Amino acid sequence: MTASCAPTAHSPLLRKVVPGPRMLARLDAIVVPSGRSASRCEHAAELARELDCVLLVLASRDSLGTEIRAAIGQHDRGNQYIVDVPPDLGERLPQLATTDLLAGEGFHRKTDVSAKRNLGLALTYMARLGRILFLDDDIRIPETADLRRAAWLLRTHDAVGMRVEGYPDNSVVCHANRETGGRQGTFVGAGALAVGSDRVNSFFPEIYNEDWFFLLDHSTLLPVAVTGVAVQDRFDPFDDPDRARGQEFGDLLAEGLFAILDRGGRIRHADIAYWRWFIEQRRRFIDGILERLELNAMPGSEQIAAALLAARGQLDEHVSPELCRHYLDAWRHDLGTWATFRANLPLGLPIGSAAELFDLPVSTSAFGGGFEREGTHAWLPW
């Protein structure tokens, strides 16, 4: 292998299924980890109304619960739940060794999307909403029937991704590869991912490509299918070099692990020697993009170069084979931590009552549009 971003996007690992016209099932909930303006949640609300399923919005950053309620209230059938996620959400979930390791290495992640998705997993599991869809607020699903097909596939698969159209869903480095003429595919991700919350005993670590890690167990990829289409809104991946810098370690790890799986290997084969070799391949991959960029002047080339140099600097200065190995050891430990946490969660609770156990108020029209909360509980299952 000569490149860390495989042009095939690891697609042979996925089970491509086209369900028949009668292979449809009910979707129980749509979970939106919202961080943008309230209007971005309208599409998810429309889907939830059409599918008659629960809508759970986990709001933070530029997303405010009161504004979301005003924006999507006309779509409510009494099953909308909006949680204003506090900055300390991670402290209300199990303490993860992977988070502590990266914080100690200076790899603090600015986004809280992993914590919100983990919260979504916990709340829907407690509420016995087994077939859920994670949907980012910048992704649209043109055909609701695709979601019913994905729900049907969850009978035999742990997760079902959707083929992303519109703007490609890639890292900054892989976007640069495509922009400079390199072959580049995409893989399924949590931006539009149906999950069996009652089947999957996995979690989203605080790292870029957290959804790729979510789809793994201790040795290989979980049973994952792909069906249907999702459309990603366009954005500028090169507007901030820090984005590429923050993605580099997660991109390296995920691409390295999936390169092993592509060849029929197992995660245990990712030893120190492998990471030493793969880091060098990643370095050559980025250098090759920079060389093409230098030979072919194009609009925005300075921004692209700045992003690539930021990623290359992170790789050279902060990433080592030993760190890669230590991270995987911590991740395996966290799989056990999350399994223990999940096993101790009470089941059969309404979403509001489940959120209350994490000391989180829930806005729901089922209680007059106010906040469903009866008091603060110190009950924490971990």
Side-chain angles (χ1 to χ4, degrees):
M1 189 184 74
T2 59
S4 65
C5 292
T8 58
H10 319 295
S11 55
L13 298 172
L14 300 172
R15 304 177 183 182
K16 297 177 180 62
V17 184
V18 181
R22 296 184 179 180
M23 297 178 181
L24 305 173
R26 176 181 175 82
L27 189 71
D28 295 322
I30 297 175
V31 180
V32 182
S34 179
R36 299 177 180 86
S37 62
S39 61
R40 294 292 195 122
C41 295
E42 287 191 57
H43 176 65
E46 292 170 357
L47 290 176
R49 181 187 63 187
E50 185 170 346
L51 295 169
D52 192 24
C53 70
V54 166
L55 175 66
L56 173 60
V57 180
L58 306 173
S60 64
R61 298 170 61 193
D62 296 332
S63 182
L64 298 175
T66 53
E67 295 178 359
I68 294 172
R69 169 63 61 201
I72 69 175
Q74 71 271 23
H75 303 294
D76 191 15
R77 289 184 173 179
N79 55 0
Q80 291 181 355
Y81 299 88
I82 304 170
V83 179
D84 277 307
V85 173
D88 66 346
L89 174 61
E91 298 176 12
R92 308 182 190 204
L93 294 168
Q95 183 174 358
L96 300 175
T98 46
T99 302
D100 294 341
L101 174 62
L102 292 191
E105 295 291 337
F107 288 109
H108 176 69
R109 198 177 186 204
K110 297 180 180 179
T111 176
D112 61 355
V113 67
S114 292
K116 288 192 288 190
R117 286 175 178 153
N118 287 334
L119 176 63
L121 284 172
L123 295 181
T124 54
Y125 177 66
M126 295 163 74
R128 296 189 185 276
L129 300 172
R131 296 168 177 171
I132 68 173
L133 173 76
F134 283 111
L135 183 66
D136 282 357
D137 56 10
D138 62 346
I139 290 184
R140 293 173 289 111
I141 308 296
E143 299 290 338
T144 54
D146 284 343
L147 299 181
R148 297 187 187 276
R149 296 185 185 100
W152 185 86
L153 289 170
L154 288 177
R155 300 187 312 166
T156 53
H157 297 80
D158 289 353
V160 181
M162 310 196 79
R163 188 176 73 254
V164 177
E165 296 184 354
Y167 197 66
D169 184 17
N170 287 122
S171 68
V172 174
V173 168
C174 291
H175 273 296
N177 181 45
R178 177 183 289 104
E179 292 289 335
T180 56
R183 293 179 57 202
Q184 182 64 59
T186 60
F187 192 65
V188 299
L193 185 71
V195 173
S197 67
D198 53 349
R199 291 173 57 97
V200 179
N201 202 6
S202 186
F203 72 102
F204 294 92
E206 292 282 354
I207 192 172
Y208 179 71
N209 276 331
E210 73 283 352
D211 40 8
W212 289 26
F213 279 93
F214 173 75
L215 297 174
L216 299 173
D217 61 18
H218 285 86
S219 62
T220 190
L221 187 70
L222 296 170
V224 180
V226 58
T227 191
V229 172
V231 180
Q232 166 82 56
D233 290 346
R234 186 172 184 84
F235 66 97
D236 182 2
F238 310 112
D239 61 348
D240 183 0
D242 278 343
R243 180 181 289 112
R245 185 178 292 109
Q247 291 178 353
E248 183 57 25
F249 184 53
D251 210 21
L252 169 84
L253 280 175
E255 293 286 0
L257 290 178
F258 275 71
I260 289 176
L261 300 182
D262 285 338
R263 300 197 302 269
R266 292 292 182 264
I267 294 173
R268 67 177 182 274
H269 296 140
D271 56 15
I272 293 290
Y274 174 77
W275 288 116
R276 185 176 297 112
W277 173 83
F278 195 80
I279 289 171
E280 180 57 29
Q281 301 309 307
R282 178 74 175 189
R283 187 175 290 115
R284 293 181 182 181
F285 178 68
I286 296 175
D287 287 347
I289 303 173
L290 284 166
E291 289 172 6
R292 294 200 303 270
L293 188 63
E294 186 176 351
L295 291 172
N296 302 288
M298 55 187 296
S301 59
E302 291 184 2
Q303 283 185 311
I304 297 175
L308 289 169
L309 291 172
R312 172 66 190 270
Q314 186 81 329
L315 185 67
D316 291 342
E317 297 171 17
H318 300 288
V319 178
S320 67
E322 292 76 16
L323 177 60
C324 295
R325 182 66 180 182
H326 291 161
Y327 185 88
L328 291 185
D329 289 342
W331 170 70
R332 291 189 187 92
H333 178 273
D334 286 345
L335 284 174
T337 299
W338 185 264
T340 300
F341 161 75
R342 184 174 180 271
N344 285 293
L345 291 173
L347 302 181
L349 299 179
I351 287 286
S353 299
E356 185 180 334
L357 298 181
F358 295 89
D359 197 20
L360 297 171
V362 179
S363 171
T364 169
S365 62
F367 288 78
F371 284 93
E372 177 186 349
R373 190 173 185 174
E374 297 178 358
T376 299
H377 288 239
W379 186 93
L380 295 176
W382 50 101

